[in-house]
Amino acid sequence: MKKPTPEERLIVALDVPTAKDAQKWIKKLSPVVKRFKVGMELFTAEGPQTVTAINTAGARVFLDLKFFDIPNTMAGALRSAATLKPFLVNVHALAGPAALARCAQEMKKLKTPPKLLAVTVLTSFSEQELKRIGLGGVDATVTKLCGMALKAGLDGVVASPREAALLRKKFGNDFLIVTPGVRPAWADANDQKRITTPYDAIRNGADYIVVGRPVLDAPDPRETARRIIDEIKEACAWKKKAGRI
Ligand code: C5P
């Protein structure tokens, strides 16, 4: 698998309500940011045009719609998503092994499919909250769901940067880890519970980090993105020195 450049490893979450807002951010950030995430808020309001606008600006899209349904419906949703040419798409691992396997098969039929990720445990979950819905500890659940997704033929997982090292140790390097729940040392945690800095996320084994509010709410968003990319570069340099790249 070709490794992304440090610039490509930062995915900025465009959690905004309108295409007009999105366009403003793409224009402002795309000289520095090469990957954007389109999620439920923007996609529900404005649909495919938001993905097209990012592709047209020369950047790539992580289409974060977290599909969770019966296998046939998930496969159909992914086929539709793939026509928009995102580089990453995702489904919920909790949809189960049969649905995951069907989704992976569906993507393999395409000539240039996006990479397919399974969301393990959302980064806004704390240990206590996860127990409250009847699941075990975070590490055990993330490990179990990751193993299930890889066995089903998916390309990787979405997990918190705190679990990335554990997943690398258990499952090796030949799959993608994408981590939201990333907060530079100077930023607010907001509603995210299982967080690390960009430097630690990459050092722990994340391929891509997703950052939303710390960039969009910053006084100088473009400079903030640049600072995050500098942290990613430092972490990549550390990994190279340690022979982990
Ligand atoms: O603003 P913030 O950096 O917290 O944004 C994180 C983004 O990553 C949000 O768009 C959220 O939907 C997404 N995400 C997440 N946890 C996951 C998967 C996606 O926070 N497990």
Side-chain angles (χ1 to χ4, degrees):
M1 224 180 269
K2 190 178 160 280
K3 287 284 169 200
T5 64
E7 288 78 11
E8 291 166 350
R9 287 177 189 268
L10 170 63
I11 304 176
V12 171
L14 283 181
D15 290 327
V16 293
T18 68
K20 206 169 153 206
D21 290 316
Q23 276 291 4
K24 187 190 86 183
W25 282 111
I26 297 162
K27 196 163 165 220
K28 190 181 270 192
L29 295 174
S30 65
V32 175
V33 175
K34 305 298 170 201
R35 301 287 180 266
F36 291 94
K37 184 173 84 66
V38 174
M40 292 178 199
E41 181 180 2
L42 185 56
F43 199 82
T44 303
E46 302 280 5
Q49 60 163 320
T50 54
V51 180
T52 313
I54 295 168
N55 289 340
T56 307
R60 302 294 312 270
V61 175
F62 169 17
L63 191 54
D64 176 27
L65 299 177
K66 301 187 183 71
F67 296 132
F68 192 164
D69 212 305
I70 59 170
N72 189 56
T73 306
M74 288 173 78
L78 281 173
R79 270 198 308 277
S80 297
T83 63
L84 304 175
K85 305 281 174 219
F87 82 110
L88 293 175
V89 290
N90 61 1
V91 295
H92 265 287
L94 282 171
L100 294 183
R102 174 75 196 279
C103 290
Q105 280 161 17
E106 206 61 42
M107 290 294 92
K108 291 201 171 92
K109 289 182 195 161
L110 303 175
K111 221 165 152 193
T112 48
K115 298 288 181 201
L116 176 60
L117 308 172
V119 177
T120 56
V121 175
L122 295 169
T123 44
S124 52
F125 265 101
S126 65
E127 200 78 46
Q128 294 83 337
E129 223 179 344
L130 196 65
K131 289 208 172 110
R132 224 174 286 148
I133 62 163
L135 294 175
V138 169
D139 285 358
T141 308
V142 171
T143 306
K144 189 171 180 177
L145 293 175
C146 179
M148 194 174 83
L150 298 180
K151 199 167 167 210
L154 274 75
D155 300 296
V157 293
V158 183
S160 108
R162 294 212 190 160
E163 293 104 42
L166 175 71
L167 297 179
R168 286 285 174 230
K169 202 165 160 209
K170 178 114 183 123
F171 300 108
N173 291 319
D174 204 18
F175 69 102
L176 294 174
I177 302 180
V178 177
T179 65
V182 174
R183 288 293 180 268
W186 69 86
D188 197 325
N190 309 110
D191 53 356
Q192 298 284 19
K193 302 274 164 42
R194 304 190 332 275
I195 57 174
T196 75
T197 62
Y199 179 86
D200 285 337
I202 297 291
R203 204 175 136 148
N204 288 350
D207 296 285
Y208 296 93
I209 61 172
V210 175
V211 188
R213 287 161 290 182
V215 172
L216 303 195
D217 296 347
D220 185 342
R222 198 191 292 176
E223 184 49 31
T224 302
R226 235 183 237 124
R227 279 174 74 184
I228 293 173
I229 291 168
D230 283 344
E231 266 194 54
I232 296 174
K233 282 182 185 157
E234 265 178 57
C236 289
W238 178 89
K239 283 180 76 168
K240 207 166 182 182
K241 222 166 143 192
R244 300 215 195 150
I245 258 179

